[in-house]
Structures are given as structure tokens and as C-alpha cells.
Amino acid sequence: MTKKLLYLFLLIGSLGIAQDTDTQFRFSPSVDYKINKKWKVGLDYRYALEKDISTFQASVFQLSGEYKINKKISLEAGYRYTTSFENDNQRLFASFIYDYKIKKFTLSSRTRYQFSTPYFNATYWNEFKEPNQYLRQKFTVDYNIPKSKASVYFSPEIFIKMEDGEFKYHRTRYQLGSDYKLKFGNTVGVSVMYEDKLNPTKTDRFVITTKYNLSLDELFKKPKSKEEKAKKKKKKD
């Protein structure tokens, strides 16, 4: 199953080259820690290549926190710093997340507001460049493959940009991916994203991403004893 998904992602990426879009690559390691049932913090890094995976694009560092209101609703906020050879950029964001599970499926909705600028300086905004502001709406369908530690997902995401005091449609992303859980809180994944931009002067792109995540709370979690496992199994029966 995993090999078939990899072949599918490579096929989609090759279509990006055939359609004269820019094919890009991202390596995204991350680490998170679940403080308790309500709070979780995360640190992410991204190394990105562009121009058909031949040129360095940017390095991205992100710090975020998530608060779980209940089993279905969460709030998220964070800060992102992007650096490249040409310029640097900073971003603040806040998200409302809703998850709904149906057996092996998880349906998710994420509504995010983001505020991006090179400098948090009102004078710079007035004289040089105003901050970029977006509303992003993302929907995800995630399926846990039976008798497997793998899952597959599909995520369309709509970007609405604020221009001249109005929010206007800007672009849509479509992402297909798969994650595989390893032991001790380790997860690896691969995905392919196609970004369709409204402005014809901007190049559409395919982005191939490889991911690695380490959950520290899972890593340091004490292994359950045989007695605890037996009690848990008895309750299920």
C-alpha cells in the first residue's frame, strides 16, 4: 500500500513538470509535546527548494500552541519566521479547528487568519509595503487504513486575501498525502500539493513534501504493564 502511494505521488509530481508548472520540494521535521489533555505545543522547521527542485527557496521556523476545548474543537495560535537569500518574513496566525470522527475516517475543518510582514513597524507599512492578510479555509478527509499504522488524507484549502479593505479570492491548494506511525512517537509522511493561483502572471506549482514528526509525550510515556493491558482489554470485551 505504501509503495503504491509513493508511485502515485511521483506520478503527480511528474505531471507538474509536464504542465510547465514549478515543481518544488520540502523537507519538514517537527517536534511536539502534549502538556496535558488540553494543551499542546509544537516546533516546526521547513527546508524548501524551488525551480524544479534545483534552487534553495527558504528556511521556515514555526512555534505554535494548541488548546483543546473539547474532543471536537481546538484553538491554535503561532509565530512563523521565514528566511531566504532575497528577504525575510514574519507571520502571526490563529486557527479554529473542528474534528469529527466516523469509524476509520476523520473529517476536519480549519479556519485560519494570518498576518505576514517583514517588519512589525507601522512606518514601514505606510511607506513601503502593507502586511499580507489572509483567511484560509481548509477541509481534510483522513482515512486510517485497517490493520495498518498508515493513513491517507486529501485536503483542499482556499485562500482569501485582504486587498483595499476587501477580502478577495486568491488561490486554492489541493494536497494528497500519507502518514505512517512508527514506534516511540515517531511519524513519517509524504505528500504532494498542487497550488492553483488566480493571477495568471504567477506560476502554479507542485510541491512534494517529506515529513518527520516526534511526539515527546509519546516518547517518554511509560510502557504499560501486562496487568494494565489485560484490564484495558477486559473493559473492551
Side-chain angles (χ1 to χ4, degrees):
M1 184 65 184
T2 305
K3 289 184 178 179
K4 291 180 180 179
L5 288 171
L6 181 59
Y7 293 150
L8 177 61
F9 297 148
L10 293 175
L11 174 62
I12 294 173
S14 65
L15 290 175
I17 298 174
Q19 294 176 0
D20 196 28
T21 61
D22 185 23
T23 301
Q24 302 178 2
F25 174 79
R26 296 175 177 177
F27 172 59
S28 299
S30 61
V31 60
D32 60 57
Y33 179 68
K34 190 175 181 180
I35 301 172
N36 50 42
K37 293 182 179 180
K38 295 288 187 180
W39 288 97
K40 183 172 74 172
V41 294
L43 179 65
D44 300 68
Y45 172 73
R46 177 197 300 166
Y47 181 83
L49 301 174
E50 62 179 351
K51 297 180 180 178
D52 294 334
I53 319 179
S54 65
T55 305
F56 171 76
Q57 183 187 41
S59 282
V60 182
F61 303 86
Q62 178 174 300
L63 179 64
S64 62
E66 183 177 331
Y67 176 74
K68 200 170 188 65
I69 297 175
N70 52 44
K71 291 182 178 181
K72 297 180 180 179
I73 300 174
S74 302
L75 299 177
E76 180 190 35
Y79 168 79
R80 172 180 291 189
Y81 177 73
T82 302
T83 181
S84 68
F85 293 137
E86 297 178 357
N87 53 58
D88 298 337
N89 198 50
Q90 302 181 78
R91 176 185 299 176
L92 298 174
F93 62 88
S95 307
F96 175 85
I97 303 169
Y98 180 85
D99 296 324
Y100 184 75
K101 292 186 178 182
I102 307 175
K103 295 183 178 180
K104 294 292 183 178
F105 287 92
T106 301
L107 309 179
S108 301
S109 170
R110 188 189 73 185
T111 305
R112 170 174 289 183
Y113 167 76
Q114 67 182 42
F115 181 98
S116 303
T117 178
Y119 305 101
F120 289 101
N121 186 303
T123 302
Y124 175 85
W125 300 340
N126 293 329
E127 297 183 4
F128 297 98
K129 184 181 179 181
E130 293 183 354
N132 288 326
Q133 299 182 68
Y134 284 93
L135 282 178
R136 300 167 55 173
Q137 180 59 56
K138 182 177 183 179
F139 299 100
T140 302
V141 179
D142 187 286
Y143 176 68
N144 289 321
I145 301 173
K147 299 180 181 180
S148 170
K149 295 181 180 180
S151 63
V152 293
Y153 60 88
F154 174 69
S155 303
E157 184 173 16
I158 300 170
F159 286 67
I160 307 296
K161 186 177 182 181
M162 177 179 278
E163 294 181 330
D164 302 322
E166 298 181 358
F167 283 102
K168 301 177 182 179
Y169 170 78
H170 189 260
R171 64 186 187 270
T172 302
R173 286 179 179 175
Y174 305 92
Q175 187 173 32
L176 176 66
S178 176
D179 292 331
Y180 187 86
K181 291 185 178 180
L182 305 172
K183 294 181 178 180
F184 310 114
N186 294 279
T187 302
V188 294
V190 61
S191 69
V192 171
M193 179 188 75
Y194 173 65
E195 186 168 76
D196 182 16
K197 296 183 179 179
L198 177 65
N199 190 338
T201 63
K202 294 182 178 179
T203 306
D204 294 341
R205 58 179 180 165
F206 275 93
V207 182
I208 302 170
T209 301
T210 57
K211 301 184 297 181
Y212 167 75
N213 174 256
L214 173 62
S215 294
L216 294 178
D217 53 293
E218 292 290 332
L219 177 64
F220 298 129
K221 185 182 293 184
K222 293 181 180 179
K224 293 182 179 180
S225 64
K226 293 182 179 180
E227 292 181 359
E228 290 177 326
K229 289 180 180 179
K231 288 181 180 179
K232 188 175 181 181
K233 186 177 181 180
K234 190 175 181 180
K235 287 182 179 180
K236 288 183 179 181
D237 295 340

